[in-house]
Amino acid sequence: MITEREITMTGVSYRFNTFVCCLLVIISSLTNAQPNFLYKFCIDQQGNYTANSTYQHNLNTLLSNLSSNTEIKYGFYNFSYGQNSDKVNAIGLCRGDVKQNECLSCLNNSRVLLPRLCPNQKEAIGWYDNCMLRYSDRSIFGLMEASPSFYMWNLNNATDVDRFNEVLRKLLESLRDKAAPGDSRKFGVANLVGPSFQTIYGLVQCTPDLSQQDCYNCLTGAISEIPNCCNNKIGGRVIRPSCNFRYENYRFYEPSAEASPPSPQPMPSPPSLSSNNNTSSQGKHHISRTAIAIAVPIAVVLVLSTFICIYLRVRKPREVFANENEDEDEIKTRESLQFHFDTIRVATDDFSDSNKLGQGGFGAVYRGRLSNGQEIAVKRLSRESGQGDVEFKNEVLLVAKLQHRNLVRLLGFSLEGSEKLLVYEFVPNKSLDYFIFDPIKKVQLDWEMRYKIIVGIARGLVYLHEDSILRIIHRDLKPSNILLDEEMNPKISDFGMARLFVVDQTQGNTSKIVGTYGYMAPEYAMHGQFSVKSDVFSFGVLVLEIVSGQKNTGIRHGENIEDLMNFAWRNWRGGTATNIIDPSLNNGSQNEMMRCIHIGLLCVQENVADRPTMATIALMLNSHSLSLPVPSEPAFFMDRDEYSSRPSESPIKSDKESVNEVSITELYPR
């Protein structure tokens, strides 16, 4: 017979065993969870390896040795393992001021996380604050490589910009000149006093296997990116595979790093681990002891970290966005981008109606002013918006990584409870459609101004398609998404429907057609095929609207309405192209206007191959001596009834409304 005491003890034993099992599950899950990279690239150009292949075995062996090796000095590790096409080359680089135990810990996190985030890719690279890890099946030792790269910047602006930039340039160039021919670390830190007695701290570093000249060239190129990355900001960094720099108005590195560096040492050549599969038992025992020595303290630390994380999660607002699913890009917060909700609430006077600038499918937009006087525009995600979560993730993922004078700049975001806010630079002169389609206000846009807007939009699209580290298709280019700053310079906005492309990808397909009626290319509207040429088509429609001052949806002739492309083509072919030009414009620049009409018609060709790229269009706009091909009949709009009869697709909206159906894909290097 089982006594009451026995039953009680059995229950205690059961609860204890349950606790132990849960604890083991936590330990197991945490050993698979690593801190997120600042940034990583999974590079497809080198191809993929298959699971359980010799290449994967060599990669795992190499990375296991990488994080436990303590023989190479200066936090630089370069190893190779394997033979022929299965040979793996790896580089680990720690920041020059990081202690060896912190360096090894950082590399250990990297070697676990990077293959998981880039499964089956033969080449990948990831960065933490303290270290970088990269591997490839090609030789990467001693090569100066500037891409893939990324930027980060401080939100705050310098006060005396000219003086600040002068001191910053002097600081970074002096560090470059010392690090390139300096000690084996090729690393340097220093500080200078800038305007208002504010100290600027700088750090530069190259991989130690670079030559003096390659290190100098790499840092020179990185420093030249400041206007694109972090112009006028009090902090920023440019990170490349072979070099990086950072500057801030506070000391972000160890103070001891400013002491004299060690005397130069010869840089060892990359060792090659033996790839003999018949490893000795002694070697196996050594590896096992090393693995145990690493795994046990990590497990203990991770268990403690669990309870700390739970405690902090209860106390602090949520700081990480949830992934749509584990294979999607995660959108993580960065201290330099995140605003506290109360800061934005105060800046917008508690989102008062007097500060409301407009309303969209995602929610409302408010004007605000931060405590430092900077004006901002705030998108407040509507709680009832079915598309808002996706748009929010897409804009944070994309816009934060884009830096160009003709793109609206994302300053940050706020994520607190159910509140989701996007904080942009404030662009004072509203959007292009506010002027161009108003019979009174469009008079303010003379031809010189309109031409500047056309050229600026073209430059912004060239950046998106060709020059940024990402290849991006906007997919919703229209006048209401072109904002105008105080000098009427155009800034492309609203990336809620943008799509990322692999560097060599030429087109994509979607079963859900999204966008705005009148600006969509026919191959996209009919078949869901989109490419950079889809944006070219939209740009062509925009150009014809800017020149004519008419909406693409129709030009009225008595009781008849003719769409803009049909009207433009009929007059172009008939030799009466001047009828297309807005009557409010001065005819003194008629040749330039006619050239823009010509370019607009080339952009809206029905055949995708007949449309020029945005890079070619920018050249056409800047070089009037360049001869243009003769356009053929453009793709005309279908009747609205034809669209409404198409089965099993999302409805296409008018130019007053856009549908946001977004798919966030992986980031790829340029």
Side-chain angles (χ1 to χ4, degrees):
M1 177 181 293
I2 302 176
T3 67
E4 182 178 352
R5 178 178 174 81
E6 287 173 325
I7 294 174
T8 304
M9 290 305 293
T10 302
V12 172
S13 176
Y14 172 77
R15 288 193 294 272
F16 177 76
N17 289 337
T18 302
F19 171 76
V20 171
C21 289
C22 291
L23 188 60
L24 290 174
V25 169
I26 291 172
I27 293 173
S28 175
S29 62
L30 282 175
T31 54
N32 290 324
Q34 306 297 319
N36 291 322
F37 285 122
L38 288 177
Y39 214 96
K40 54 87 178 149
F41 289 95
C42 306
I43 303 171
D44 282 339
Q45 292 173 337
Q46 295 305 114
N48 295 336
Y49 61 83
T50 56
N52 300 318
S53 63
T54 303
Y55 188 89
Q56 184 178 31
H57 169 76
N58 291 343
L59 176 62
N60 292 340
T61 302
L62 181 63
L63 294 183
S64 296
N65 182 275
L66 178 72
S67 61
S68 61
N69 189 290
T70 59
E71 295 176 359
I72 307 300
K73 297 181 179 179
Y74 311 133
F76 178 64
Y77 305 83
N78 54 340
F79 292 94
S80 61
Y81 186 73
Q83 301 295 327
N84 302 322
S85 60
D86 291 320
K87 185 176 182 180
V88 187
N89 303 294
I91 287 178
L93 176 69
C94 291
R95 207 173 69 188
D97 61 318
V98 173
K99 295 181 175 63
Q100 190 175 49
N101 61 334
E102 294 174 349
C103 175
L104 291 175
S105 175
C106 185
L107 288 174
N108 187 62
N109 286 330
S110 301
R111 64 103 179 171
V112 173
L113 184 61
L114 192 56
R116 186 183 304 153
L117 295 180
C118 301
N120 306 117
Q121 264 106 6
K122 288 188 175 182
E123 183 167 352
I125 184 170
W127 289 271
Y128 283 114
D129 255 331
N130 286 349
C131 69
M132 171 199 75
L133 175 65
R134 61 185 302 211
Y135 56 79
S136 177
D137 64 333
R138 64 185 178 88
S139 176
I140 55 176
F141 305 133
L143 294 179
M144 193 279 281
E145 295 189 311
S147 64
S149 65
F150 69 99
Y151 314 139
M152 295 180 73
W153 62 93
N154 192 303
L155 280 177
N156 298 316
N157 291 316
T159 51
D160 185 347
V161 172
D162 292 338
R163 175 61 182 156
F164 182 89
N165 289 338
E166 180 185 349
V167 175
L168 174 62
R169 179 184 56 78
K170 182 179 178 181
L171 173 63
L172 293 179
E173 289 181 353
S174 67
L175 283 172
R176 174 202 61 191
D177 295 344
K178 291 178 182 178
D183 68 275
S184 297
R185 296 181 305 166
K186 287 192 167 56
F187 168 81
V189 295
N191 65 80
L192 285 177
V193 177
S196 303
F197 302 101
Q198 186 178 51
T199 303
I200 307 173
Y201 298 88
L203 177 152
V204 302
Q205 186 172 21
C206 294
T207 56
D209 58 338
L210 288 189
S211 68
Q212 174 181 332
Q213 188 61 50
D214 281 346
C215 178
Y216 182 92
N217 292 342
C218 186
L219 288 172
T220 299
I223 294 169
S224 70
E225 293 287 343
I226 288 178
N228 297 324
C229 148
C230 26
N231 201 28
N232 303 336
K233 298 298 181 181
I234 61 173
R237 58 176 116 175
V238 174
I239 312 293
R240 293 179 166 189
S242 294
C243 69
N244 65 83
F245 75 82
R246 183 180 180 184
Y247 69 93
E248 300 286 354
N249 67 336
Y250 61 91
R251 183 183 280 109
F252 56 91
Y253 49 80
E254 291 295 326
S256 59
E258 292 182 339
S260 300
S263 58
Q265 300 286 336
M267 178 55 55
S269 58
S272 178
L273 304 180
S274 172
S275 57
N276 184 356
N277 292 327
N278 298 318
T279 308
S280 68
S281 60
Q282 182 180 357
K284 291 180 179 178
H285 292 159
H286 173 72
I287 292 173
S288 299
R289 288 195 301 270
T290 303
I292 293 171
I294 294 173
V296 170
I298 288 176
V300 173
V301 170
L302 289 174
V303 171
L304 293 175
S305 300
T306 305
F307 296 101
I308 294 172
C309 289
I310 292 171
Y311 173 70
L312 291 177
R313 188 169 181 83
V314 171
R315 291 184 68 247
K316 295 178 66 177
R318 183 173 56 178
E319 292 185 344
V320 179
F321 297 112
N323 293 338
E324 280 194 355
N325 49 64
E326 290 182 359
D327 292 329
E328 295 286 357
D329 287 307
E330 63 182 342
I331 304 178
K332 56 189 179 181
T333 66
R334 295 176 183 165
E335 290 184 12
S336 61
L337 285 178
Q338 189 170 20
F339 287 87
H340 195 283
F341 177 76
D342 287 340
T343 301
I344 307 304
R345 183 178 57 78
V346 171
T348 58
D349 193 17
D350 202 10
F351 304 99
S352 65
D353 289 340
S354 61
N355 281 326
K356 191 172 182 179
L357 297 173
Q359 182 82 26
F362 53 83
V365 179
Y366 296 87
R367 183 174 182 171
R369 185 184 294 273
L370 298 175
S371 58
N372 63 1
Q374 182 178 10
E375 288 193 296
I376 56 174
V378 180
K379 276 187 180 183
R380 188 183 194 186
L381 183 69
S382 170
R383 297 175 186 177
E384 290 76 32
S385 172
Q387 304 296 336
D389 285 336
V390 179
E391 173 168 333
F392 184 86
K393 293 177 182 179
N394 212 37
E395 294 223 24
V396 172
L397 179 70
L398 297 180
V399 185
K401 303 177 189 303
L402 304 177
Q403 298 297 315
H404 192 274
R405 62 178 298 184
N406 296 118
L407 303 182
V408 172
R409 185 164 190 168
L410 179 72
L411 300 178
F413 65 93
S414 175
L415 178 64
E416 187 169 321
S418 60
E419 290 285 358
K420 297 180 178 68
L421 309 175
L422 289 167
V423 183
Y424 291 93
E425 63 174 322
F426 178 70
V427 184
N429 280 325
K430 300 188 178 181
S431 55
L432 178 60
D433 62 324
Y434 177 78
F435 290 93
I436 199 69
F437 301 137
D438 186 289
I440 297 175
K441 294 186 178 66
K442 69 180 180 181
V443 177
Q444 300 177 39
L445 298 181
D446 58 20
W447 176 247
E448 183 181 359
M449 201 171 292
R450 296 192 197 194
Y451 190 71
K452 181 173 73 171
I453 291 170
I454 291 172
V455 171
I457 298 170
R459 287 173 177 166
L461 288 174
V462 171
Y463 173 78
L464 291 176
H465 292 179
E466 303 290 343
D467 295 338
S468 71
I469 61 173
L470 314 171
R471 174 170 290 178
I472 296 176
I473 315 300
H474 189 278
R475 295 207 301 170
D476 198 23
L477 200 65
K478 57 185 178 181
S480 60
N481 285 340
I482 306 298
L483 304 185
L484 302 172
D485 68 11
E486 62 277 2
E487 296 178 356
M488 303 301 280
N489 293 305
K491 291 180 177 286
I492 301 172
S493 69
D494 201 340
F495 288 80
M497 286 184 286
R499 286 292 293 268
L500 291 169
F501 260 23
V502 182
V503 64
D504 294 325
Q505 189 178 352
T506 56
Q507 71 172 34
N509 290 273
T510 180
S511 59
K512 294 185 177 181
I513 312 301
V514 298
T516 304
Y517 178 86
Y519 299 91
M520 289 186 292
E523 71 278 2
Y524 179 49
M526 293 297 294
H527 307 295
Q529 298 174 352
F530 60 92
S531 65
V532 291
K533 296 295 185 73
S534 308
D535 282 352
V536 169
F537 186 94
S538 304
F539 175 77
V541 178
L542 260 177
V543 169
L544 293 176
E545 288 183 325
I546 292 171
V547 175
S548 66
Q550 299 283 347
K551 291 186 177 182
N552 67 71
T553 49
I555 297 174
R556 182 174 295 277
H557 304 287
E559 295 183 355
N560 298 321
I561 297 179
E562 184 178 25
D563 68 68
L564 179 58
M565 281 191 293
N566 186 56
F567 173 76
W569 172 249
R570 181 172 56 80
N571 281 280
W572 177 270
R573 184 179 55 183
T576 56
T578 53
N579 292 341
I580 306 168
I581 299 172
D582 188 340
S584 67
L585 291 173
N586 188 313
N587 288 332
S589 303
Q590 191 174 103
N591 289 339
E592 204 167 54
M593 298 176 197
M594 298 291 284
R595 188 174 180 84
C596 284
I597 295 171
H598 192 161
I599 292 171
L601 289 172
L602 288 173
C603 292
V604 297
Q605 298 293 281
E606 185 163 11
N607 188 344
V608 175
D610 291 339
R611 299 175 208 156
T613 64
M614 287 309 307
T616 302
I617 292 166
L619 186 61
M620 291 174 176
L621 290 168
N622 290 323
S623 176
H624 290 186
S625 61
L626 186 67
S627 60
L628 307 182
V630 178
S632 55
E633 185 174 273
F636 299 133
F637 292 143
M638 294 181 294
D639 188 75
R640 289 177 185 264
D641 293 336
E642 293 183 48
Y643 278 115
S644 61
S645 65
R646 294 172 63 227
S648 66
E649 289 184 353
S650 301
I652 298 171
K653 300 294 183 179
S654 70
D655 57 359
K656 296 180 181 179
E657 185 178 1
S658 299
V659 183
N660 293 312
E661 293 283 354
V662 197
S663 174
I664 302 176
T665 58
E666 185 53 79
L667 304 182
Y668 290 88
R670 294 291 299 138

